[in-house]
Amino acid sequence: MSTSKSIRKSFLFLTFVAVMAAIVYMALQKEQILDAVKKVPKEVKYYGFIAAIVFIYLTYFYNKYISHAFSQSKQAKRESIVIDAMRARQEGLEEKVRRLTAELSASKIKLKEEIENHPQDQRELHQRLQHLNCLYALSKIVNRQDISLNAIFQKTVFLVREAFRYPSAISVRIIFDGIRYRAEDKDFKKSEFRRHASIKVNEKDAGLIEVYYLGNKVKNGEVMFTPEEDDLLHAVTEWLGSMAERKRAEEKLRLFRNLIERSNDYIFAVDPKWGRILDVNTRACDSLGYARNELLNMMTIMDIEETPSDNVPWEKQIEELRRKGDIVKEGQYRRKDGSAFFAETSLKLVKQEKQEYIIAIARDITERKRAEAKLKAAQDKLLETAREVGMAEVATGVLHNVGNVLNSVNVTAGSLKTRIRKSKISYLNDVVQLVEEHKDDLGQFMTQADQGKKLPLFLAHLSKELVDEQTRCLEGLEALTKHIQHMADIIQLQQSHSKTKGLISATSIKELVDDAIQINAEVISRNDVKVERELVNIPRILLDRHKVLQILTNLISNAVDALSHSEREDKILRIRAEQLEQDRIRIQIIDNGIGIPSENLTRIFEHGFTTKKKGHGFGLHSTALSANELNGSIKVHSEGPGRGAVFTVELPYKTQEVMK
């Protein structure tokens, strides 16, 4: 149809072109044409005009009726052909559809027969598909980075429930870290029919999944929980365990990173080969004045350290670090603005996947350095004060020991004073005066007068009395001289020991005990105290001689004082010394004096505590301090008043062989 229309349009176009060309030609050749026309006979013109009109009419008639009829006939013929082809094709398709429908019906019937013949296989296949859907949905959940652990467990409850054969007849619960997760659309119920599987994290039980069967949907011959459902529970718990382990690791990693960022210390990860900074926390960036990318952009730890005069090369530090595992050093760090501050840096070498890293943790110790400087100044001042106090302590010890002798001096001097005041030497003066009065008749007076007759006998008795007084005075003077010499010995002994105060020297315990007894000899003698020594054969040992002597002197003086107030006749002071294991020595001062009440045992070494009327509470307190300074100990034991007391001193020591 389209072809005929094209032909017709082409024909009409060519005709129009020809007419227009003829008109143009005639317009151009008008004179020639007019001359030619004039020469043509009228009959020819007439017949030519009629022929033109007929031609035009025939052309119009053809186009109007004949051509259209022909076209319709051709179109109808073509449409008929197309319709026949479509009808044939439709019939073929209908036949194919009928054939396929028949085949599908047959397959359906066959499948139905197979399903009816194998119902168990179909149900198992359906359940297996549900299990796979559950695991697939769970895998999509656990791989999400934006989901929390609680949300994963809550969604898993629904997934597990829907994966079982009878979701409406079971109740599912997950317990993890003490938190219970269950379906929110119904109350959780329990029954005697239960399945469970443990959730293990790092090979330890962290939770479990519980499934309870509640309904009566199980048909005859069916089990309540199939092996496939048990396998599903174990598969889900394995997924949850690995996921919980990963989530916990991620949370710990985030927490660790957060702690590092919020730490007050400066934390660096350093490449041990070059010292390049691989990572750094915000605190270090802020304190040093650098941006993080500046520190990580090829800067090394040496770039921020002030180089001291005794700087150890980085390679040497790494060798020491590999040998020791970690080192701590002090130095100065330099900020971006050029200012410096003191820092203490701890370096530790760690290995991660066969790669070595150094973790450097630095801390600003500027304030500590200032405090140390102040402390050193205070210590120097304290040492000077302690030296002065030590001198005062020595003086106090000397006065304390000399004071005991002075008491004896006072007693002896008082006794001499009393004897001299009551001396009968004044009677001799009376005899001299009487003789002076009778010097002219002395013979007659001596033989005839009553007084004269008695005078020789009186002189004999007076002479005897005066000789006795002289003897007693000489004894008193000797005692007084001994006391004075004893005081001189005490001072000299203290001076000889004070020269070695604080120095460790080879010392004989027996000699120290003898010296301490000698210092207290006067009071021991005056109070009739019997001293017993139980000294094991102890070799010369290295001790602070002065302090040990001070301890022994004070303890012996205290024991003698306790014995002086006792009414016992057998006043015994026992001094015992023995070696212990682990290079220690034990010295015990034992007396059977007045004893110590139990309430005073815990206070007896306190400064200022004393039970003596004229005591000052210094002796035993200074003794305890001296024992502590020697890294030793002192203890006291008493069964109570009247039962005596035992003072035990334990001191460490070294032998000369050990020192060598």
Side-chain angles (χ1 to χ4, degrees), residues 282-309:
T282 304
R283 173 67 174 170
C285 297
D286 295 341
S287 181
L288 294 171
Y290 289 97
R292 187 187 297 270
N293 59 347
E294 289 180 306
L295 289 172
L296 302 183
N297 188 17
M298 301 304 292
M299 286 190 68
T300 67
I301 197 73
M302 288 79 77
D303 294 332
I304 61 175
E305 286 184 336
E306 287 283 349
T307 305
S309 57

Side-chain angles (χ1 to χ4, degrees), residues 601-657:
L601 290 176
T602 57
R603 302 183 58 199
I604 198 166
F605 296 112
E606 294 180 4
H607 183 270
F609 178 79
T610 182
T611 57
K612 303 174 184 178
K613 293 181 179 180
K614 297 183 179 181
H616 47 65
F618 174 80
L620 290 179
H621 175 68
S622 64
T623 301
L625 291 179
S626 297
N628 289 333
E629 290 174 0
L630 295 173
N631 295 322
S633 63
I634 183 169
K635 298 178 182 178
V636 60
H637 174 73
S638 176
E639 296 294 336
R643 306 290 297 276
V646 179
F647 285 83
T648 302
V649 179
E650 290 188 8
L651 301 172
Y653 71 89
K654 293 181 180 180
T655 61
Q656 290 179 303
E657 289 77 7

Side-chain angles (χ1 to χ4, degrees), residues 453-467:
K453 293 178 180 180
K454 295 179 180 179
L455 186 60
L457 182 61
F458 176 76
L459 289 174
H461 287 295
L462 179 61
S463 174
K464 185 179 180 180
E465 289 290 337
L466 290 177
V467 170

Side-chain angles (χ1 to χ4, degrees), residues 163-399:
F164 275 67
R165 287 176 299 166
Y166 308 111
S168 60
I170 66 170
S171 184
V172 181
R173 179 172 68 177
I174 295 178
I175 302 176
F176 189 83
D177 280 349
I179 303 176
R180 291 172 168 77
Y181 305 90
R182 59 182 179 82
E184 298 178 353
D185 55 349
K186 64 178 183 179
D187 296 334
F188 178 78
K189 297 180 181 179
K190 294 183 179 181
S191 70
E192 58 181 333
F193 308 109
R194 174 177 178 261
R195 282 288 188 274
H196 71 280
S198 297
I199 302 174
K200 293 184 178 294
V201 178
N202 295 326
E203 299 182 355
K204 295 182 180 179
D205 291 341
L208 63 112
I209 298 180
E210 296 177 312
V211 179
Y212 294 91
Y213 179 74
L214 304 176
N216 299 314
K217 292 190 176 184
V218 176
K219 299 178 181 179
N220 293 332
E222 286 186 331
V223 294
M224 293 184 182
F225 297 101
T226 65
E228 290 79 9
E229 291 173 338
D230 292 339
D231 293 340
L232 174 65
L233 279 183
H234 288 92
V236 170
T237 53
E238 288 182 6
W239 275 59
L240 292 178
S242 61
M243 176 272 306
E245 186 175 342
R246 189 191 71 190
K247 287 285 186 181
R248 283 181 172 180
E250 291 174 353
E251 290 177 359
K252 288 181 179 179
L253 184 60
R254 286 194 297 270
L255 176 61
F256 181 69
R257 185 68 193 186
N258 189 35
L259 292 176
I260 288 177
E261 290 298 327
R262 294 176 179 271
S263 174
N264 289 327
D265 296 332
Y266 316 139
I267 303 177
F268 304 86
V270 182
D271 180 7
K273 186 174 183 180
W274 308 108
R276 187 167 67 89
I277 299 174
L278 303 176
D279 198 3
V280 63
N281 68 343
T282 304
R283 173 67 174 170
C285 297
D286 295 341
S287 181
L288 294 171
Y290 289 97
R292 187 187 297 270
N293 59 347
E294 289 180 306
L295 289 172
L296 302 183
N297 188 17
M298 301 304 292
M299 286 190 68
T300 67
I301 197 73
M302 288 79 77
D303 294 332
I304 61 175
E305 286 184 336
E306 287 283 349
T307 305
S309 57
D310 57 345
N311 180 47
V312 179
W314 178 253
E315 294 78 9
K316 295 292 184 181
Q317 295 185 42
I318 298 304
E319 290 178 5
E320 183 183 3
L321 193 57
R322 286 196 175 99
R323 188 172 62 255
K324 295 182 178 180
D326 60 89
I327 58 176
V328 178
K329 63 177 185 176
E330 291 186 2
Q332 285 187 308
Y333 280 9
R334 185 175 58 254
R335 297 187 179 91
K336 187 177 181 180
D337 59 8
S339 60
F341 62 93
F342 287 98
E344 180 185 72
T345 305
S346 173
L347 301 176
K348 187 172 184 63
L349 189 67
V350 296
K351 287 187 177 181
Q352 180 70 22
E353 298 179 356
K354 298 182 179 181
Q355 178 67 36
E356 288 184 334
Y357 300 94
I358 293 176
I359 302 301
I361 303 177
R363 176 172 297 178
D364 189 342
I365 59 171
T366 303
E367 291 300 324
R368 192 179 81 186
K369 284 291 185 181
R370 292 174 182 168
E372 287 177 354
K374 293 180 180 179
L375 180 61
K376 187 177 184 306
Q379 286 177 338
D380 293 341
K381 185 176 181 180
L382 183 61
L383 288 174
E384 180 63 23
T385 304
R387 187 183 68 82
E388 295 175 356
V389 171
M391 294 172 63
E393 181 181 323
V394 171
T396 303
V398 171
L399 292 176

